[in-house]
Amino acid sequence: MLREQPRVLIVDDERYVADTLVAMLRREGYEAIAAYDGCDALEQAIHLKPELVISDVHLSKLNGIDAVIQIQRMFPDCKALLFSVNKTIARLALGSLNQAVGFEILQKPVRPQDVLEKIKSVVPLPKTSEGILEITHYC
């Protein structure tokens, strides 16, 4: 029996960062798409129904914290990882938001291997009883 791939939404206004993370996650077996600003993230989330959102804190149109909060209102089980150059400021911003749920903050720059390990700990890939990864193929 095939299980669905975990769905991950990557949000970063630096397209290279977002696209690189999407490619890396797809290679690992995740269903991943990119959004390049906070408003785009909300639109993409409606279609993807993500289990995890990885977002930069500082985005145009709508900041990453507010975008993730709105996404979590639509999908309460969705988890979030936030990137910030300044981890202290991001923590202070989160601390002032009582509605922020399930956020973790990673300080930029971060190594791709570290991001991947964190993602796998938050949203693990499904495995068969034999330990072989099951991937759903789409047309």
Side-chain angles (χ1 to χ4, degrees), residues 11-129:
V11 189
D12 202 311
D13 53 2
E14 294 180 55
R15 287 179 179 260
Y16 174 76
V17 172
D19 293 344
T20 300
L21 284 172
V22 165
M24 180 179 73
L25 287 173
R26 286 180 178 170
R27 263 194 319 273
E28 292 293 320
Y30 288 87
E31 181 179 349
I33 61 171
Y36 306 109
D37 63 53
C39 292
D40 187 27
L42 296 178
E43 290 177 27
Q44 296 293 344
I46 290 168
H47 301 291
L48 182 66
K49 298 175 180 67
E51 296 169 62
L52 174 65
V53 176
I54 302 171
S55 179
D56 190 2
V57 170
H58 302 288
L59 299 171
S60 61
K61 297 185 184 177
L62 180 66
N63 73 56
I65 294 170
D66 290 337
V68 170
I69 288 170
Q70 289 188 39
I71 291 168
Q72 287 182 326
R73 285 182 183 153
M74 290 186 281
F75 308 104
D77 293 332
C78 182
K79 297 175 180 69
L81 296 175
L82 294 173
F83 288 121
S84 179
V85 173
N86 189 327
K87 198 171 184 176
T88 304
I89 290 174
R91 283 197 190 283
L92 289 173
L94 280 176
S96 68
L97 297 169
N98 293 332
Q99 51 205 342
V101 181
F103 284 88
E104 288 193 51
I105 300 172
L106 301 174
Q107 188 167 351
K108 280 184 172 180
V110 62
R111 296 178 334 160
Q113 311 88 301
D114 295 338
V115 174
L116 188 57
E117 284 178 26
K118 178 54 89 174
I119 292 166
K120 286 181 177 181
S121 73
V122 174
V123 185
L125 289 164
K127 301 202 181 251
T128 64
S129 59

